[in-house]
Amino acid sequence: MYTEISGELPAEFLRQLAAQIRKIRDGLAEIEGTAESPDGLILATVSGCGELIGLDLNPRIYRTTDSQALETAILDTVDAARRSAEAEVAGLAAELLPHGELAAGPPIGHRVPV
């Protein structure tokens, strides 16, 4: 790994690290988290980067006039899909990080107030 004398990383270690990073990058492109609302009227899909890439609303959803409940149901379903994708991303990243040392940080797609 890191050599104390020269302060440089061995070339083989860097090649392996680059390969692992490419694997994670490629894996992120394939990850999707999907969740369905408890009533089955909402289906949300989120990418491995936390981007909402699909939102299917069953036409029966428009029968309710409670827009606040609809908003909550959509947000909860998208959040569940994001957590699903996040779990897959964590599994992929765990291959690169030392065992049990997954970096803590905001969840994917988390917006930090400015």
Side-chain angles (χ1 to χ4, degrees), residues 8-41:
E8 296 178 5
L9 296 171
E12 180 58 28
F13 173 77
L14 292 175
R15 278 192 288 280
Q16 290 175 357
L17 183 61
Q20 289 175 316
I21 291 170
R22 279 191 298 276
K23 182 178 178 182
I24 289 174
R25 181 198 61 207
D26 295 344
L28 280 176
E30 297 175 11
I31 290 176
E32 290 183 358
T34 301
E36 185 175 33
S37 63
D39 60 9
L41 299 178

Side-chain angles (χ1 to χ4, degrees), residues 35 71-81 83:
E71 175 186 356
T72 299
I74 290 171
L75 291 175
D76 288 349
T77 306
V78 170
D79 187 50
R83 286 191 312 270

Side-chain angles (χ1 to χ4, degrees), residues 57-106:
L57 303 175
N58 184 301
R60 292 183 299 141
I61 205 163
Y62 301 111
R63 292 181 184 166
T64 182
T65 58
D66 188 352
S67 62
Q68 186 64 39
L70 177 58
E71 175 186 356
T72 299
I74 290 171
L75 291 175
D76 288 349
T77 306
V78 170
D79 187 50
R82 184 173 285 123
R83 286 191 312 270
S84 173
E86 191 174 81
E88 287 190 50
V89 169
L92 188 62
E95 295 178 21
L96 178 62
L97 300 174
H99 296 298
E101 294 187 24
L102 196 55

